[in-house]
Amino acid sequence: MAVEACDKKKLMDDMDEDEVPLVFKRSSSSSSKQNKSTLEAKKSLSQNTDRQLGRPAQDVRSQNGQGTMVQKTKMVSSSKTPPLNSPLSSPKSYNSSSKGLVVKSEVDSKPSTSVKDESNMRSLSVKQHIKDEKPSAEATGEPNEDSDDDKPLSARLPAGLSRVNSNHAKKGPHASTSGQQPKIPKPEDSDDETPLSSKFQVKSNAGLSLHRTSGSGERKPSLSICDQNGSASTERKPSTNLKKRPGDGVKTADEVFLKKPKLSDASKHRSKEASVKAETREEDDEDLVPISQRTKKPTPSDKKSFSAKNMTKPKSVISKQTNKKPKKFMEDSKQSFKLPPGSGDGQKWTTLVHNGVIFPPPYKPHGVKMLYKGKPVDLTPEQEEVATMYSVMLETDFLNKSQFKENFMADWRKILGKNHIIQSLEHCDFTPIYEWHQKEKEKKKKMTAEEKKALKEAKQQQEEKYMWAIVDGVKEKVGNFRVEPPGLFRGRGEHPKMGKLKKRIRPSDITINIGKDAPIPDCPISGESWKEIRHDNTVTWLAYWNDPINPKEFKYVFLAASSALKGQSDKEKYEKARLLKNYIQGIRAAYTKDFSSKDMAKRQIAVATYLIDKLALRAGNEKDDDEADTVGCCTLKVENVEPLPPNILKFDFLGKDSIPYQKELEVEIAVFKAIQQFRSGKKGGDDLFDQIDTSRLNAHLKSLMPGLTAKVFRTYNASITLDDMLRRETNGVDVAANIVVYNHANKEVAIICNHQRSESKSHSAQMLRLDEKIEELKAVVEELETDLGRAKKGRPPLKSSDGKTKRNLNPDALEKKLAQTMAKIEKMERDKETKEDLKTVALGTSKINYLDPRITVAWCKRHEVPIEKMFNKSLLAKFSWAMDVDPDFKF
DNA sequence: ACATGGACTTGTGCTAAAACAA
DNA sequence: TTGTTTTAGCACAAGTCCATGT
């Protein structure tokens, strides 16, 4: 379906994306429908099996018993429930809330994790395998079962930790035996990509076997697999002109390639959908539909949201779409066509057309003079430009950093020349320029709406041609077609290069990558020319230039996240993480065993893997001296990990982007001892893991599972945690309550991944304001109660505090008002709590990068939550490939 | 084995835009 | 309407990891 998207209408709509607001139309009414549909769907689908399994969240809960209440109380409760399995851990878990847990994040302290009970999960899982109905898909179903492994980190972490221990350590051995030997079976797919599918399938059947040996045969399938639906969907038209991307749904990758737009029926559908949906729109001229758009809209047939309905019956939907193109097409196209991106040989595209990049406008001198030793100074435009870059940063914290100032001055002096009057930054007064800049900002702000709109349109028009690329006949959005403007480098943390001048990039710095038959983009700056033109279809970049700050590195122009190319690799990432589910138990057993290996390198690998698994640490590549001093797992220093007897490890280091990571984790004794040993005889700044590095670690991981690398654990743990929490805690009271559950799960993941944000400057003021409002409302409640009491006795209300006479309401009306006010207070208090809770936790990063969107989409379908409530416009576009997932999808 | 180049993903903060409250 | 708060998007920095050459 998606493809058809081409419909012009849609296109049109899309076109403006910027301006036009998306409208997701999902009428309320729809809900009912949805439900219905859902139900149907479920029935139709294999659900039975699932259900039996106990898959439904509800069931789950029931098991625990707790589930339900959770919500209100906060899911926490549930989480707390003691895991049946691990006795050990349990104590902690219960006790306190998450906080109690061992792990505390000092940072904000939200205690992050909660324990989950594995027991429940397990039970579920076990059964699940069964589901076979959908073959591929199901991969999903898989094996999780057994181990706690499957459980989300969160579960483990906190309490988990303890648990972990218990499991592994204690269990460790057994576990291992159980079955999964880590050994990899490599299915054939050497590539990471394909195999998955096959594997999945395999697994599904047997929980135990990790290997998915068999599956290999079809790897490609992986894609297909994923989408259960997908399969059908493809349609393609071969020859047509440009196609748009295959349907919105974007089914599987396969389809992607094929795409063919076809308007015919599909288009019809689409159009409707389009309207319904909301997507973006843009107008483009021709038919090229921007893929992104298409994709996004999932809405299948009717407007209703795609939510349940669509999903539910994915197949049916698909079929519709597909109709247009008969299978044959598909097949043909597949074969004849290019390989899917990513497919084997590394070819990413067959034809690629784009217009290059757009450069920032040349510098316009303002002539405002800065002062040096109190006197105005004449500067050339080049000198003034750099002075202005610095001036506008006058109120930032960078100006308090000597490193920044030194670097800036060093670079500026090169432009000023050796004998310039300006010799020292200390005697410079940039305020005139700063003030000029502030005024300019004011002016801009004060422009009328029309003026702003006109400016915007002019810009849009200028950029329009650069925004799109045509990849294998499909119009795709380009991610960052604007060349970075010159400026002062703002590194994060204590970056040694902060303040250096990032020089202007010119065409002669840029290498363009484009299809052989495509016209070479005109160089936008007359008289200049591109550095080089390449026709490399094994890479996805459209252009790149060397980073002016670090010439050894590059800045690339890629397609946008909504493109099929990116979508496919995103999907492959999640499929790989899902594959890990089948190996995790064995991997955990293996590293547990190696905690006491005689071989130091082996022991270090085991402990590092443990930390990556339990704490979701990043791999930790080596860094140069000219970068900020941050670490990851393999680069942890002795001083970053402090053993607190009997078995707690206190982590304190700066991770990516110099974000502090401060947590305490209770670990297995063997790990604790190993860490003590790794530290012994070393200085604080020495490497904790002196025998390993990321390439060794990853090489080892690859021996356990094809394609496995350290980062896969983060994806795996994040997604499995979300899936697990949603399944256990969604109670279905109403959409709002379900969303609360979702956000709670999302927060849990963010904490695991240590996704922080800085507290807004006005946070405390905002909290105070909320408190005031709540107090006011409480006063209103009291007043209402008084009046109600009087009204019941037939007396008129007292005068209000400001002396005015109130209307004489009857008791019913007063009660109603009272209830409304109380509800308002409740909501406000909840909002306040959430706000405080999330003041330093960023949910967005995990949603964008770590949570398999299919979990969210399937959950939305199961609980009739409009997907638009969970994904904004760009996420809808980015995850278009996940929209038609089966409601029973399990990560 | 290792260093380094190269390509692509992940992350935070800023700011424009949208949503709200007054 | 207007001022304020919240959110979406973007910019671009900073990671990961694979490939390749020595």
Side-chain angles (χ1 to χ4, degrees):
Chain A
M1 1 183 108
V3 180
E4 331 111 86
C6 308
D7 337 2
K8 310 211 163 176
K9 295 183 169 189
K10 205 192 213 156
L11 297 179
M12 315 275 294
D13 309 22
D14 304 5
M15 308 305 292
D16 351 354
E17 337 181 293
D18 313 24
E19 311 173 346
V20 182
L22 280 192
V23 180
F24 291 106
K25 306 189 148 197
R26 132 176 302 275
S27 47
S28 52
S29 56
S30 59
S31 62
S32 57
K33 293 183 175 185
Q34 300 182 357
N35 300 333
K36 235 190 201 172
S37 56
T38 10
L39 297 178
E40 301 181 349
K42 293 184 176 184
K43 291 181 181 177
S44 57
L45 300 184
S46 47
Q47 316 226 341
N48 3 355
T49 44
D50 296 23
R51 300 203 152 203
Q52 305 179 342
L53 307 183
R55 195 254 196 150
Q58 311 130 6
D59 301 292
V60 175
R61 289 195 238 110
S62 53
Q63 298 193 342
N64 304 340
Q66 341 176 329
T68 17
M69 19 209 7
V70 178
Q71 318 192 337
K72 289 186 164 187
T73 42
K74 270 325 318 296
M75 4 292 297
V76 182
S77 55
S78 57
S79 47
K80 301 179 177 184
T81 50
L84 307 183
N85 308 340
S86 50
L88 310 177
S89 51
S90 47
K92 295 179 174 178
S93 21
Y94 319 59
N95 36 354
S96 46
S97 40
S98 29
K99 290 194 170 175
L101 316 182
V102 182
V103 178
K104 357 179 125 171
S105 74
E106 310 189 344
V107 181
D108 223 286
S109 82
K110 275 57 198 257
S112 35
T113 43
S114 27
V115 176
K116 310 84 198 288
D117 40 84
E118 311 189 339
S119 53
N120 303 326
M121 315 237 352
R122 301 183 168 181
S123 49
L124 301 179
S125 49
V126 180
K127 313 156 159 217
Q128 314 198 344
H129 312 332
I130 323 183
K131 124 168 294 139
D132 6 51
E133 3 177 76
K134 301 177 151 232
S136 48
E138 311 343 351
T140 33
E142 338 321 22
N144 3 282
E145 30 329 19
D146 9 337
S147 36
D148 337 355
D149 307 353
D150 304 352
K151 297 163 169 189
L153 258 196
S154 44
R156 305 141 195 181
L157 280 183
L161 306 179
S162 45
R163 260 196 244 107
V164 172
N165 311 334
S166 51
N167 302 334
H168 301 319
K170 313 173 173 187
K171 280 179 166 187
H174 312 340
S176 54
T177 51
S178 53
Q180 39 283 315
Q181 6 266 67
K183 241 41 214 325
I184 329 186
K186 310 192 127 232
E188 37 302 30
D189 16 334
S190 35
D191 319 334
D192 318 339
E193 348 203 284
T194 35
L196 307 181
S197 49
S198 46
K199 309 169 176 188
F200 296 144
Q201 305 192 345
V202 175
K203 297 190 146 217
S204 42
N205 312 324
L208 317 177
S209 49
L210 319 176
H211 11 348
R212 54 353 213 9
T213 35
S214 45
S216 47
E218 39 256 20
R219 42 191 9 45
K220 237 82 118 312
S222 55
L223 308 176
S224 46
I225 298 176
C226 322
D227 28 338
Q228 7 286 68
N229 7 309
S231 45
S233 52
T234 46
E235 23 188 1
R236 40 233 17 277
K237 343 175 115 181
S239 37
T240 31
N241 339 310
L242 305 179
K243 338 14 206 357
K244 356 339 243 19
R245 51 155 51 33
D248 350 3
V250 171
K251 328 290 302 32
T252 60
D254 313 303
E255 306 172 41
V256 177
F257 321 131
L258 326 171
K259 39 248 352 346
K260 263 13 198 313
K262 245 13 145 323
L263 313 165
S264 40
D265 343 4
S267 53
K268 300 176 182 179
H269 300 297
R270 237 230 172 257
S271 53
K272 291 181 186 174
E273 303 178 19
S275 52
V276 177
K277 307 174 157 197
E279 352 243 55
T280 28
R281 42 229 102 290
E282 355 217 1
E283 37 204 355
D284 3 331
D285 354 15
E286 335 53 300
D287 3 299
L288 310 188
V289 177
I291 306 168
S292 47
Q293 334 271 29
R294 312 140 147 220
T295 22
K296 2 172 83 256
K297 325 336 228 50
T299 25
S301 34
D302 338 8
K303 13 194 91 283
K304 332 281 338 337
S305 42
F306 64 170
S307 38
K309 294 195 158 185
N310 306 322
M311 335 274 227
T312 34
K313 302 211 137 192
K315 307 199 160 187
S316 56
V317 176
I318 299 172
S319 53
K320 288 181 176 183
Q321 305 176 346
T322 31
N323 304 341
K324 318 166 164 205
K325 315 215 128 232
K327 293 187 164 194
K328 332 165 142 208
F329 276 131
M330 306 195 33
E331 315 214 324
D332 304 5
S333 55
K334 286 183 178 182
Q335 308 186 339
S336 54
F337 251 114
K338 17 210 80 255
L339 1 144
S343 62
D345 57 357
Q347 183 179 332
K348 301 286 179 35
W349 47 266
T350 298
T351 65
L352 173 63
V353 181
H354 64 84
N355 293 306
V357 296
I358 187 169
F359 291 86
Y363 179 68
K364 280 209 320 231
H366 48 68
V368 176
K369 293 182 172 42
M370 56 172 290
L371 311 176
Y372 189 72
K373 292 188 176 171
K375 295 187 180 147
V377 188
D378 284 323
L379 296 175
T380 65
E382 293 72 34
Q383 296 165 347
E384 179 192 284
E385 179 179 18
V386 181
T388 303
M389 291 170 187
Y390 189 86
S391 304
V392 304
M393 293 179 74
L394 239 40
E395 298 221 311
T396 69
D397 203 38
F398 286 104
L399 290 242
N400 296 325
K401 303 196 176 190
S402 56
Q403 178 77 263
F404 186 94
K405 293 192 279 194
E406 281 169 27
N407 287 337
F408 162 73
M409 199 56 198
D411 281 357
W412 191 34
R413 289 191 61 162
K414 288 180 201 158
I415 295 177
L416 293 173
K418 212 153 187 190
N419 302 316
H420 198 278
I421 312 177
I422 295 177
Q423 291 293 322
S424 158
L425 190 56
E426 289 181 28
H427 298 127
C428 291
D429 181 355
F430 296 94
T431 49
I433 299 180
Y434 173 77
E435 282 165 6
W436 163 81
H437 178 249
Q438 293 302 109
K439 274 184 207 144
E440 288 295 303
K441 279 201 331 202
E442 266 315 292
K443 271 195 218 162
K444 209 172 154 192
K445 209 165 163 186
K446 289 202 170 137
M447 287 192 301
T448 66
E450 291 78 49
E451 291 171 318
K452 286 182 184 168
K453 195 178 168 194
L455 269 179
K456 190 174 167 183
E457 278 172 5
K459 188 183 177 203
Q460 169 87 19
Q461 195 179 346
Q462 200 182 10
E463 299 186 337
E464 171 67 24
K465 67 182 277 209
Y466 301 101
M467 297 211 299
W468 308 96
I470 299 171
V471 184
D472 293 349
V474 178
K475 185 172 179 179
E476 300 272 18
K477 208 163 187 167
V478 177
N480 54 326
F481 50 86
R482 297 177 195 90
V483 170
E484 293 178 19
L488 301 183
F489 177 71
R490 295 148 108 110
R492 277 91 188 259
E494 296 304 309
H495 196 116
K497 296 194 172 183
M498 67 171 85
K500 285 181 65 63
L501 173 63
K502 210 165 62 154
K503 69 157 184 127
R504 184 174 291 270
I505 301 301
R506 345 190 92 263
S508 57
D509 294 317
I510 297 182
T511 297
I512 298 280
N513 189 37
I514 198 163
K516 270 207 165 69
D517 299 326
I520 292 170
D522 295 333
C523 177
I525 299 180
S526 59
E528 300 199 33
S529 56
W530 304 115
K531 178 179 182 182
E532 184 186 345
I533 301 294
R534 280 198 221 165
H535 309 289
D536 183 353
N537 70 3
T538 67
V539 296
T540 65
W541 53 267
L542 309 184
Y544 84 79
W545 63 89
N546 288 81
D547 178 358
I549 293 298
N550 191 340
K552 310 238 85 95
E553 300 187 333
F554 319 96
K555 296 286 198 175
Y556 293 92
V557 173
F558 290 118
L559 291 175
S562 57
S563 66
L565 222 45
K566 290 279 194 192
Q568 198 205 339
S569 81
D570 210 26
K571 184 178 197 168
E572 283 164 3
K573 171 182 77 183
Y574 291 114
E575 286 303 305
K576 188 187 280 183
R578 288 176 81 207
L579 182 58
L580 175 55
K581 201 168 73 156
N582 301 327
Y583 292 82
I584 194 71
Q585 193 177 329
I587 289 170
R588 287 175 177 160
Y591 67 59
T592 298
K593 198 168 143 206
D594 286 346
F595 288 158
S596 49
S597 168
K598 303 251 176 17
D599 180 339
M600 174 67 95
K602 225 171 173 182
R603 215 174 325 139
Q604 292 192 356
I605 287 212
V607 174
T609 308
Y610 172 88
L611 297 180
I612 284 170
D613 182 22
K614 298 305 168 198
L615 290 186
L617 297 189
R618 295 188 185 81
N621 283 306
E622 300 290 338
K623 300 186 71 183
D624 286 345
D625 295 337
D626 59 0
E627 297 178 272
D629 194 15
T630 62
V631 304
C633 186
C634 293
T635 42
L636 281 169
K637 303 292 181 270
V638 165
E639 63 198 1
N640 296 140
V641 187
E642 185 186 349
L644 305 175
N647 63 336
I648 293 187
L649 294 183
K650 180 177 176 187
F651 291 83
D652 187 351
F653 60 89
L654 294 183
K656 180 175 177 180
D657 289 321
S658 293
I659 296 295
Y661 185 100
Q662 297 169 310
K663 287 183 186 172
E664 287 183 20
L665 167 71
E666 181 176 326
V667 299
E668 297 181 32
I669 295 294
V671 171
F672 186 81
K673 289 194 171 148
I675 294 284
Q676 285 182 311
Q677 191 198 10
F678 300 156
R679 286 167 51 97
S680 71
K682 291 181 190 166
K683 291 188 230 128
D686 291 345
D687 287 333
L688 180 67
F689 297 112
D690 56 297
Q691 313 256 304
I692 64 175
D693 59 28
T694 56
S695 66
R696 266 185 273 252
L697 176 66
N698 282 334
H700 173 253
L701 293 177
K702 275 200 185 48
S703 74
L704 301 178
M705 184 190 106
L708 184 62
T709 61
K711 74 190 268 260
V712 179
F713 284 88
R714 293 193 109 211
T715 311
Y716 164 76
N717 279 130
S719 287
I720 197 94
T721 296
L722 177 73
D723 196 306
D724 174 49
M725 289 188 69
L726 290 181
R727 260 163 223 288
R728 288 187 295 110
E729 300 175 359
T730 306
N731 66 6
V733 168
D734 61 33
V735 170
N738 285 340
I739 290 176
V740 168
V741 170
Y742 184 96
N743 288 334
H744 180 254
N746 193 162
K747 177 192 160 197
E748 213 59 25
V749 171
I751 290 170
I752 290 170
C753 294
N754 200 37
H755 288 149
Q756 301 184 24
R757 59 173 182 168
S758 48
E759 184 178 323
S760 91
K761 287 164 232 146
S762 56
H763 177 81
S764 57
Q766 290 174 13
M767 293 303 281
L768 282 176
R769 205 143 5 99
L770 277 175
D771 278 337
E772 279 172 24
K773 284 182 185 166
I774 289 172
E775 286 311 312
E776 279 172 28
L777 286 173
K778 282 183 174 167
V780 172
V781 166
E782 272 183 38
E783 196 175 317
L784 285 170
E785 281 171 341
T786 305
D787 292 348
L788 179 59
R790 294 175 61 90
K792 281 180 177 168
K793 294 175 190 160
R795 305 214 198 116
L798 295 174
K799 297 209 168 164
S800 61
S801 52
D802 51 6
K804 288 186 184 161
T805 309
K806 286 180 288 196
R807 205 148 55 101
N808 195 352
L809 296 169
N810 63 36
D812 284 351
L814 284 170
E815 288 206 41
K816 193 174 165 193
K817 211 166 170 180
L818 187 62
Q820 284 176 340
T821 310
M822 307 248 286
K824 208 167 170 183
I825 291 177
E826 220 176 281
K827 177 175 184 293
M828 251 171 153
E829 292 193 317
R830 214 171 39 224
D831 288 350
K832 183 187 152 200
E833 211 174 291
T834 303
K835 186 163 189 159
E836 177 66 28
D837 212 35
L838 297 179
K839 68 179 177 188
T840 58
V841 179
L843 303 188
T845 308
S846 51
K847 208 168 190 174
I848 294 171
N849 301 299
Y850 291 105
L851 301 177
D852 187 332
R854 292 171 296 181
I855 295 169
T856 303
V857 173
W859 175 82
C860 282
K861 289 179 181 178
R862 277 185 267 126
H863 300 285
E864 284 124 44
V865 174
I867 192 68
E868 299 84 18
K869 294 254 188 202
M870 313 314 302
F871 290 155
N872 61 32
K873 184 174 129 185
S874 54
L875 287 181
L876 285 173
K878 169 169 178 166
F879 298 141
S880 61
W881 56 270
M883 294 303 164
D884 52 3
V885 68
D886 188 289
D888 290 328
F889 174 88
K890 186 160 194 297
F891 181 79

